[in-house]
Amino acid sequence: MATETKKTATKATTKKPAAVKKAPAKKAAAKKPAVKKVAPKKVAAKAAPKKASPVKKAAVKKAAAKAPSSKTVTFRIKRGEQVDGAFEARHEDFKIKYDDSTTVLQGLEMIKGEQDGSLTFRRSCRASICGSCGMFINNRSRLACKTKIKDMVGGVKENMNVPASGNIIEIEAQKNQPVLKDLVVDIQPFYKKVENITPFVQEGAETNADVDKTSFEQVNMVSNCIMCGACYSDCTAMVENPDFLGPAALAKAFRFVSDPREGQKTDRLKELSEKNGVWDCTRCGMCVDACPKGVAPMEAIIKLRTRSMNSGVTNNPGARHAMSFKKDIATWGVLNEPVMLLKTLRHNVIKQAGNALNLVRKGKIPNPLPFDHKVEGLNEVRDIFKELEKNPIDVETRAEDTGPGAG
Amino acid sequence: MHKHDMLIVGAGLAGLRAAFEGITAGLSVAVITKVHPLRSHSCAAQGGVNAAINKQDNWEDHAYDTVKGSDYLGDQDSIDIMCKEAPQAVLDLDDMGCPFSREDDGSIAQRAFGGASFPRTAYAADRTGHAMLHTLWEQSIKNGVQVFDEYHLLEITVDKKSGRASGAIAVNIATGKIEQFASKSILIATGGYGRLFHSNTNAMINTGDGIALAMKAGAPAADLEFVQFHPTGLKSSGILISEGVRGEGAYLIGKDGKRFMQKYAPNKLELASRDVVSRSEMMEIMNGNGEDGAIFLDVRHLGKELILERLPQIRQLSIDFEGVDPIDAPIPVKPTCHYTMGGIRTDKLGMSNYLPGLFAAGEAACVSVHGSNRLGANSLLEGIVFGKITGKEMVRYMTEEGKAQPATDTSDLANVQRDVANLKARKKEGGVRAHDIREKLTKDLDMYCNVFREEKTLLKARKSVEKAKSDFEKVYVDDKADEFNTDLLTTIELGNLIILAEGTVESAIARKESRGAHTREEYPDRDDENWMKHSIASWNHNKNGIELDYEEVRTTGNPKYAPAVRSY
């Protein structure tokens, strides 16, 4: 159980962040270097770039980067450690100076270096490629190295999802994982799930060794994943079912199903269609939003669903639900929910009896037997299905590698 | 005590590739790593991996380019091995499932890189290291390699009787428990020490732990003075912009908007060797053609489509960390510490000649395939080739002369536990913060031991190292807990960096010539007669400092490798 204590703000630092330090080259500029490997400078300079000189644009950028660094922000950090198997938490405030280029990670490093060395977090590459510094910053999982302080303060920011509360940035550990200390979670459950999807190319009957330029387009879409755990942390299905494989592991699974060299594609699809697999996703989109690398795990999950149904893997609740859904709409223009539930869960529907009784009591279950109303424009609904059967939507369309941050 | 045949420290490309050899040979393999394997810094390599896989190319040309690129300090036997084995090593990765980018006919795509006579750099978009690392990690799962995830190396142990490396002592970061590992052979694959400089492209974990601790255990390092400054680190953060961008045709331009490399490397221009390009940039900056200590990397003429297709990550890094979209504006870049050519001195197959049973591979090693300057895309190659070859050599060693289990001494464990407890017990009063020591030391090295060096500045660097050494005696940590004590671990890392700082500065002071990445203003020429030799830096426990010695470059007698004027 978490206990919360408060501590007052510690002293502010007056040092500039590392990012705005003076270029080390400056001092050497005074000298006349004499190096044999460097030719004299009087060679005609040709081949100038065709476009306009960079100077103006660069100067503008520079001006922006040199905005006064006197701004102060408070990091409100949820800290704590495991005591007798429970996480004991407290909030601590730290004040730091920042400028427009300062990242949350640089801020944390300043606090650790200058104010309190015991502040604990993971970090390594500081270039959004190693995935170490995923943490919950202003209500969303983000990479601290990629998140600029200026984007987290001072009200609503475009594409930043959640407005900051004034001049305070709230930071805590990622969700859906046990917290070990301060901002550090236990990453083992996350990685165990990745290990559980058989994360390597297997030989088999379905291996196709012939590859060409386009063979890995689908693979590339998810290969940007850096296993930072942001999607796992913010996954809403995970809250309900902690055994759910989760977005990152499923996106990794998609990478193998899509690899022409993989020999066991259908077996993989069968396994992924089972409990805790692709059908447990609620399609809420949080993973797409949280991903710092544009992987869009939810899209990979939806493709896995489509591919498994296309390969005949339909004998599972998720697929039956989807088929029943489609059939009802195509036939009646409206869902027959009790029947759909029966088709989805079959004899297991009995386990839902308690829920059903509750809903009946509240008048929330319509009469399943005779349809008591006709849907207007039913023919138009049917026409839509006919049209889709003639010209199906290609779910594989989003194959292009949109690059990091595109999500 | 943990007991294994093969102990590997570091889970980047070299470590995981060696683990593959050990486990598929049926040995008991353990990998210790201070970060999860997928977070190893190999993941950050962007551009690619060199291999003569194209029919019109051949490995001899690759080897020649590498010897020349090394400014003739590379060991010719190991360079031959690396370049000859390169195609197979890349194909191994392909077989394991690495999604390399392809040509229309399905063959592995290759791009041009600096200092190379043929476009022989295979790649997976602009995240080659990431793709290769994921592939090798996948293999470690497939083969059941035992990984001690988030274990930090504290000491390499030696069996005093037989003089063999006997294992290691490491701390389980999560619990703080210090544990001992016994093994018949140990591989150090812990990467380089690029964090020695304040402006660098490296991950914060790159503190050269394995090299410093090998030196302390009696396996000296070589060529520590050769530090590669990458020509295109982002101006503000030092974050890397791959050489692959120039391979795709990017220009380097000055404040005046004009290309300048024709003055320095009229043939290869932007694709000259990295040491040459970095020096040229510094010349432009010193001559007033830079802006705010940087020059510019311009890709606008390549067009939006190509940038989005082949350089998506680069574009995003530039937007995220420099606020510049390269489609619209040139990227401000400057020479930034990127790679350390020096490392644990080994024979051509990766074993230390000074400490039997201790092997090294990848950036932590000085085999030496890079000599005084590494060619772009030869480091991923070194990782996979020497991971493989050194792994195989370890397997051979353990079935032959290294068959017996060396003795381990539990008093080693007790000593390390005592040292760690003492460090934690240091008082704040009268103490120094690790952060302050690190900031001062790394900024001083930026200033005094950079692209251009001279005795006057190097002596200032020496002073700074001495200060750091004495301050480190008084260093204290805020965090007194056992669990996840990153305050303690970053302080221990700083101790390792200080050893490497001393090795770097002392070797640089002693080397009175200019070669590869080491440019002495008062000795502008390469001096093959006196200096075509490796600097060997040993740790002397009695004097608590570095001692220097030298080793001849291993030559093969190939007339093509005879030292010549190096022009691009």
Side-chain angles (χ1 to χ4, degrees):
Chain A
M1 220 184 62
T3 57
E4 312 248 328
T5 61
K6 286 252 173 193
K7 197 179 158 182
T8 46
T10 45
K11 78 179 160 79
T13 159
T14 50
K15 281 202 180 170
K16 279 186 178 184
V20 293
K21 73 180 176 19
K22 196 174 70 172
K26 284 274 165 68
K27 185 170 178 279
K31 275 177 236 119
K32 277 265 180 287
V35 180
K36 68 131 201 200
K37 282 156 205 151
V38 181
K41 323 168 198 120
K42 282 201 178 163
V43 181
K46 51 180 178 179
K50 288 186 187 95
K51 294 215 176 167
S53 151
V55 180
K56 267 195 179 159
K57 270 185 182 162
V60 173
K61 302 282 178 199
K62 189 178 130 193
K66 285 227 168 147
S69 61
S70 57
K71 289 180 284 188
T72 306
V73 64
T74 298
F75 280 15
R76 179 158 296 159
I77 303 176
K78 187 174 179 183
R79 302 190 59 184
E81 46 275 311
Q82 289 282 340
V83 178
D84 299 328
F87 184 66
E88 288 200 358
R90 63 187 187 277
H91 283 93
E92 277 182 37
D93 285 0
F94 298 92
K95 273 194 185 142
I96 54 161
K97 302 260 185 201
Y98 74 100
D99 67 19
D100 285 351
S101 71
T102 315
T103 63
V104 171
L105 179 60
Q106 286 170 328
L108 291 169
E109 283 291 328
M110 280 187 257
I111 294 167
K112 189 174 180 66
E114 297 161 16
Q115 301 182 33
D116 185 349
S118 72
L119 181 65
T120 304
F121 48 93
R122 289 194 183 92
R123 84 286 179 272
S124 180
C125 77
R126 77 218 149 87
S128 66
I129 188 67
C130 79
S132 299
C133 66
M135 52 187 76
F136 211 64
I137 304 169
N138 278 354
N139 249 338
R140 189 62 54 99
S141 273
R142 308 172 204 268
L143 292 179
C145 71
K146 197 185 162 177
T147 307
K148 293 214 170 75
I149 291 176
K150 77 172 163 75
D151 293 330
M152 291 289 111
V153 293
V156 185
K157 292 286 196 297
E158 202 185 341
N159 295 329
M160 284 301 162
N161 308 311
V162 178
S165 44
N167 219 20
I168 295 171
I169 297 179
E170 292 177 348
I171 305 173
E172 59 184 287
Q174 282 184 340
K175 306 288 185 182
N176 284 334
Q177 296 148 100
V179 183
L180 297 178
K181 183 175 174 182
D182 292 356
L183 304 175
V184 173
V185 295
D186 181 1
I187 54 174
Q188 294 308 324
F190 169 81
Y191 275 107
K192 275 281 166 290
K193 288 180 183 175
V194 180
E195 290 175 27
N196 281 343
I197 58 105
T198 322
F200 44 86
V201 174
Q202 306 168 98
E203 289 197 356
E206 291 167 283
T207 295
N208 175 10
D210 291 334
V211 294
D212 63 26
K213 202 172 184 176
T214 60
S215 295
F216 298 128
E217 279 179 353
Q218 295 290 333
V219 175
N220 287 341
M221 175 191 148
V222 288
S223 288
N224 268 328
C225 176
I226 56 172
M227 302 281 166
C228 65
C231 58
Y232 189 93
S233 161
D234 292 12
C235 174
T236 55
M238 193 74 66
V239 177
E240 295 304 318
N241 175 18
D243 294 327
F244 176 43
L245 280 170
L250 290 171
K252 182 90 176 165
F254 177 74
R255 176 246 171 283
F256 295 105
V257 171
S258 304
D259 195 315
R261 301 166 297 186
E262 166 64 28
Q264 323 251 354
K265 299 184 184 82
T266 311
D267 281 353
R268 282 184 184 274
L269 290 169
K270 273 185 201 149
E271 274 175 37
L272 294 168
S273 298
E274 284 168 14
K275 201 170 182 303
N276 305 324
V278 291
W279 295 103
D280 277 46
C281 166
T282 62
R283 297 201 295 178
C284 71
M286 286 294 277
C287 59
V288 179
D289 214 39
C291 177
K293 301 298 282 185
V295 173
M298 185 185 79
E299 295 195 31
I301 294 171
I302 290 168
K303 288 182 192 180
L304 283 170
R305 290 178 176 183
T306 310
R307 287 197 194 178
S308 53
M309 289 183 71
N310 286 345
S311 7
V313 185
T314 52
N315 190 18
N316 57 69
R320 287 197 297 267
H321 181 268
M323 289 187 297
S324 162
F325 201 108
K326 182 203 158 191
K327 199 175 168 202
D328 275 6
I329 298 290
T331 315
W332 308 105
V334 69
L335 291 178
N336 185 338
E337 290 182 28
V339 172
M340 190 165 69
L341 193 65
L342 185 63
K343 284 182 176 169
T344 302
L345 298 175
R346 294 190 172 165
H347 62 277
N348 283 324
V349 79
I350 202 75
K351 291 180 189 160
Q352 300 298 323
N355 278 335
L357 278 176
N358 259 332
L359 291 169
V360 168
R361 211 172 292 143
K362 291 180 180 161
K364 294 211 167 163
I365 294 197
N367 181 358
L369 294 173
F371 282 102
D372 48 8
H373 66 281
K374 273 233 152 55
V375 174
E376 267 179 54
L378 180 57
N379 285 336
E380 285 166 43
V381 173
R382 288 175 181 160
D383 284 346
I384 293 174
F385 275 91
K386 276 182 202 155
E387 178 60 27
L388 276 172
E389 265 153 36
K390 259 190 281 173
N391 299 306
I393 293 173
D394 179 11
V395 293
E396 307 280 327
T397 323
R398 191 192 174 276
E400 78 280 11
D401 181 357
T402 48
Chain B
M1 193 179 317
H2 305 275
K3 214 168 177 181
H4 297 272
D5 297 321
M6 186 177 189
L7 180 64
I8 294 170
V9 190
L13 288 184
L16 291 181
R17 188 63 186 80
F20 180 88
E21 291 303 322
I23 197 102
T24 52
L27 299 176
S28 148
V29 181
V31 178
I32 301 176
T33 170
K34 65 178 176 179
V35 295
H36 185 277
L38 291 180
R39 294 172 181 180
S40 306
H41 196 48
S42 298
C43 78
Q46 298 164 353
V49 52
N50 288 332
I53 45 179
N54 189 301
K55 282 194 181 72
Q56 279 143 40
D57 195 9
N58 61 70
W59 74 262
E60 288 93 343
D61 288 353
H62 182 189
Y64 170 74
D65 289 344
T66 303
V67 171
K68 177 183 168 189
S70 81
D71 216 349
Y72 302 94
L73 192 70
D75 289 308
Q76 297 169 8
D77 50 359
S78 351
I79 290 173
D80 279 355
I81 290 174
M82 179 175 81
C83 299
K84 204 170 176 177
E85 294 293 327
Q88 189 54 48
V90 168
L91 295 176
D92 288 347
L93 259 290
D94 189 37
D95 281 350
M96 292 172 185
C98 185
F100 287 113
S101 297
R102 304 281 158 165
E103 300 292 354
D104 287 328
D105 66 357
S107 60
I108 293 173
Q110 292 182 290
R111 57 164 60 123
F113 245 65
S117 54
F118 191 88
R120 68 168 69 90
T121 305
Y123 58 94
D126 56 358
R127 47 168 179 266
T128 315
H130 180 261
M132 291 168 71
L133 182 67
H134 272 247
T135 303
L136 283 174
W137 177 72
E138 290 159 19
Q139 291 301 308
S140 77
I141 301 296
K142 181 180 177 182
N143 293 302
V145 173
Q146 189 175 0
V147 178
F148 290 83
D149 195 6
E150 299 194 321
Y151 270 63
H152 201 294
L153 178 70
L154 297 176
E155 186 166 285
I156 296 163
T157 57
V158 177
D159 173 4
K160 281 157 204 94
K161 218 168 175 188
S162 66
R164 265 175 73 183
S166 64
I169 291 166
V171 57
N172 178 345
I173 298 175
T175 62
K177 193 172 171 236
I178 297 170
E179 300 173 21
Q180 189 164 11
F181 292 76
S183 66
K184 291 181 188 169
S185 66
I186 175 169
L187 177 72
I188 304 301
T190 51
Y193 52 95
R195 294 299 293 186
L196 189 50
F197 292 81
H198 200 267
S199 173
N200 66 73
T201 66
N202 280 208
M204 295 161 90
I205 54 174
N206 292 6
T207 51
D209 306 331
I211 305 172
L213 294 174
M215 288 167 75
K216 280 189 156 176
D223 298 341
L224 294 176
E225 68 271 40
F226 295 104
V227 175
Q228 179 163 79
F229 291 85
H230 194 289
T232 54
L234 285 180
K235 182 190 76 181
S236 311
S237 57
I239 286 168
L240 173 69
I241 297 298
S242 169
E243 186 167 295
V245 179
R246 278 171 285 140
E248 297 290 354
Y251 299 148
L252 287 170
I253 59 178
K255 189 168 73 177
D256 59 4
K258 293 176 181 159
R259 292 173 76 179
F260 53 77
M261 279 309 297
Q262 71 279 1
K263 295 182 223 167
Y264 308 101
N267 298 314
K268 300 295 284 184
L269 300 167
E270 278 85 357
L271 284 176
S273 193
R274 285 181 181 170
D275 55 336
V276 176
V277 179
S278 282
R279 270 194 298 273
S280 310
E281 289 179 3
M282 288 304 283
M283 293 288 285
E284 291 296 314
I285 293 166
M286 289 170 181
N287 288 327
N289 196 19
E291 191 169 278
D292 198 17
I295 45 83
F296 299 90
L297 182 68
D298 192 2
V299 295
R300 291 172 297 177
H301 59 285
L302 299 178
K304 188 175 172 180
E305 205 168 297
L306 185 140
I307 295 170
L308 291 180
E309 185 204 328
R310 299 208 202 147
L311 309 166
Q313 195 199 177
I314 299 304
R315 172 174 176 248
Q316 202 61 44
L317 286 175
S318 177
I319 292 171
D320 289 344
F321 296 104
E322 199 63 49
V324 174
D325 186 340
I327 291 173
D328 306 322
I331 314 166
V333 292
K334 66 177 185 188
T336 303
C337 171
H338 179 57
Y339 186 89
T340 47
M341 271 72 75
I344 300 166
R345 181 61 179 156
T346 73
D347 65 17
K348 69 176 179 181
L349 297 177
M351 184 156 86
S352 168
N353 280 329
Y354 304 82
L355 182 56
L358 182 121
F359 296 76
E363 192 174 346
C366 183
V367 173
S368 144
V369 285
H370 310 306
S372 60
N373 172 64
R374 175 174 70 79
L375 293 186
N378 264 358
S379 62
L380 289 188
L381 180 63
E382 182 186 18
I384 57 168
V385 168
F386 283 95
K388 180 179 176 181
I389 285 181
T390 307
K392 282 185 192 298
E393 174 63 9
M394 290 172 80
V395 172
R396 188 205 61 73
Y397 172 82
M398 285 183 278
T399 49
E400 294 174 19
E401 70 265 31
K403 203 170 179 179
Q405 181 88 33
T408 43
D409 188 346
T410 48
S411 68
D412 288 339
L413 178 65
N415 290 341
V416 172
Q417 285 167 333
R418 185 201 57 217
D419 291 348
V420 168
N422 287 345
L423 177 54
K424 265 160 81 171
R426 293 252 187 88
K427 293 271 184 307
K428 186 175 180 172
E429 292 71 36
V432 187
R433 292 187 78 79
H435 171 81
D436 296 339
I437 303 174
R438 190 186 304 110
E439 288 288 296
K440 176 85 171 68
L441 176 67
T442 56
K443 283 179 177 167
D444 281 352
L445 283 177
D446 272 5
M447 199 74 92
Y448 304 130
C449 193
N450 207 278
V451 172
F452 291 109
R453 300 165 173 180
E454 60 179 324
E455 183 152 307
K456 205 164 64 189
T457 56
L458 287 171
L459 291 177
K460 287 184 183 167
R462 175 189 273 170
K463 266 228 154 85
S464 182
V465 173
E466 281 165 4
K467 174 89 168 73
K469 251 172 116 174
S470 69
D471 281 352
F472 194 73
E473 302 292 320
K474 293 177 279 185
V475 76
Y476 70 92
V477 296
D478 293 333
D479 197 342
K480 309 293 184 190
D482 289 331
E483 298 83 7
F484 234 99
N485 192 337
T486 53
D487 195 15
L488 176 75
L489 294 175
T490 50
T491 302
I492 289 172
E493 287 173 336
L494 174 63
N496 293 331
L497 271 182
I498 291 172
I499 292 175
L500 295 164
E502 186 173 342
T504 301
V505 171
E506 291 307 318
S507 307
I509 290 171
R511 186 174 286 274
K512 293 180 170 50
E513 65 158 352
S514 289
R515 182 187 296 272
H518 173 75
T519 306
R520 287 287 297 263
E521 297 192 29
E522 64 275 55
Y523 308 101
D525 295 324
R526 194 178 75 208
D527 177 359
D528 290 323
E529 201 175 315
N530 296 304
W531 287 102
M532 196 172 139
K533 56 189 182 186
H534 299 288
S535 315
I536 304 292
S538 318
W539 187 254
N540 183 322
H541 285 276
N542 296 330
K543 115 175 192 211
N544 192 32
I546 292 287
E547 242 164 37
L548 287 180
D549 196 358
Y550 294 91
E551 240 183 53
E552 292 302 310
V553 170
R554 295 194 301 263
T555 54
T556 57
N558 183 338
K560 269 168 66 187
Y561 296 164
V565 174
R566 188 161 156 261
S567 62
Y568 284 98

